[in-house]
């Protein structure tokens, strides 16, 4: 299995809702990432988990809450989002934080906040 | 401050032609330089990558040229095909797990 699987593919949520994005990989990768990508822009790093511990938080607002329950799963909990948070949310993984080279990206969750 | 500068923003090439996308960086601590290809509605996919101790890497129709002294690297797509039409991002890695992406180049290969 050489894929990163993200669910759901599309999500529409109101500003008072609570929702979660899910990411799963079974490649034995020990680093996992959340990126946010706006239209026609490059991906922007949000969080990095290395060996299931949060190692980088790029000053992301607290309405985004990441969670890494185990080495294969990564969640992003969403609460009280704003319309400007609408974007493609990408999960990625790599072999490990030292030896890993490129990322493997998932196809993303297209999030619309109404 | 943009860590990796990419040009051009968009590129139109005839089928069979050569597509060239350029990137430049300043931070000499970057140690790995991948290129990603992204189709609409999909996540970026690793295309080819190079380390700074190598000046060129070729994989099929895709070649990275790397100029360490100039702090520049480029992607060449030979015999460009309509199926290559996508957005291409260069990137540079810092401290093992942090990647900085260029702003992207939208390539359109005309039949």
């Amino acid at each position: 299995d050489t894929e990163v699987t993200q669910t759901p593919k599309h999500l529409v949520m109101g500003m008072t809702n609570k929702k979660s994005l899910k990411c799963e990989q079974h490649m034995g990768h020990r680093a996992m990432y959340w990126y946010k990508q706006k239209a026609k822009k490059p991906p922007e790093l949000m969080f990095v988990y290395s060996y299931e511990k949060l190692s980088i938080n790029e000053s992301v607002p607290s309405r985004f809450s990441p969670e890494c329950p185990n080495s294969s799963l990564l969640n992003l909990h969403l609460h009280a989002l704003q319309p400007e948070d609408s974007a493609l949310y990408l999960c990625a993984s790599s072999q490990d934080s030292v030896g890993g080279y490129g990322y493997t990206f998932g196809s993303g969750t297209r999030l619309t906040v109404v | 401050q943009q860590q990796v500068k990419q040009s051009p923003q968009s590129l139109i090439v005839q089928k069979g032609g050569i597509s060239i996308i350029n990137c430049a960086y300043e931070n000499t601590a970057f140690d790995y330089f991948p290129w990603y290809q992204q189709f609409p509605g999909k996540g970026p996919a690793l295309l080819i990558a190079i380390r700074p101790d190598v000046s060129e890497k070729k994989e099929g129709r895709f070649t990275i040229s790397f100029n360490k002294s100039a702090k520049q690297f480029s992607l060449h797509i030979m015999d460009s095909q309509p199926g290559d039409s996508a957005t291409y991002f260069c990137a540079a890695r810092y401290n093992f797990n942090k990647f900085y992406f260029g702003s992207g180049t939208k390539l359109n290969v005309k039949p």
Side-chain angles (χ1 to χ4, degrees), chain B residues 63-79:
Chain B
T63 300
I64 299 179
S65 296
F66 191 86
N67 186 329
K68 189 173 181 178
S69 60
K71 291 185 277 189
Q72 295 175 349
F73 58 110
S74 60
L75 176 68
H76 292 63
I77 306 175
M78 311 300 287
D79 187 25

Side-chain angles (χ1 to χ4, degrees), chain A residues 37 42 58 97 100-101 103 105, chain B residues 36 38 43-44 93 96 98-99 102:
Chain A
Q37 187 177 27
E58 290 287 280
S97 60
Y101 292 105
Y103 291 158
F105 279 95
Chain B
Y36 288 88
Q38 186 174 26
R93 188 181 74 167
F96 303 116
K98 191 165 184 178
F99 283 83

Side-chain angles (χ1 to χ4, degrees), chain B residues 18-93:
Chain B
I18 302 174
S19 304
I20 302 174
I21 305 170
N22 301 300
C23 285
Y25 65 97
E26 286 298 324
N27 191 341
T28 55
F30 290 148
D31 65 351
Y32 179 71
F33 300 87
W35 284 89
Y36 288 88
Q37 178 189 57
Q38 186 174 26
F39 294 104
K42 299 291 185 182
L46 179 64
L47 192 61
I48 188 173
I50 198 167
R51 296 177 65 174
D53 53 348
V54 176
S55 61
E56 185 175 281
K57 183 174 182 180
K58 184 176 181 180
E59 290 184 1
R61 296 185 294 109
F62 301 91
T63 300
I64 299 179
S65 296
F66 191 86
N67 186 329
K68 189 173 181 178
S69 60
K71 291 185 277 189
Q72 295 175 349
F73 58 110
S74 60
L75 176 68
H76 292 63
I77 306 175
M78 311 300 287
D79 187 25
S80 299
Q81 299 296 312
D84 297 330
S85 297
T87 299
Y88 292 81
F89 292 100
C90 62
R93 188 181 74 167

Side-chain angles (χ1 to χ4, degrees), chain A residues 94-106:
Chain A
S94 63
Q95 286 184 335
D96 60 55
S97 60
V98 175
Y101 292 105
Y103 291 158
T104 299
F105 279 95

Side-chain angles (χ1 to χ4, degrees), chain A residues 17-31:
Chain A
N17 291 161
K18 285 186 181 181
K19 297 287 185 182
S20 296
L21 310 184
K22 181 180 175 181
C23 173
E24 194 167 2
Q25 58 89 13
H26 296 286
M27 295 177 281
H29 289 177
R30 303 310 300 269

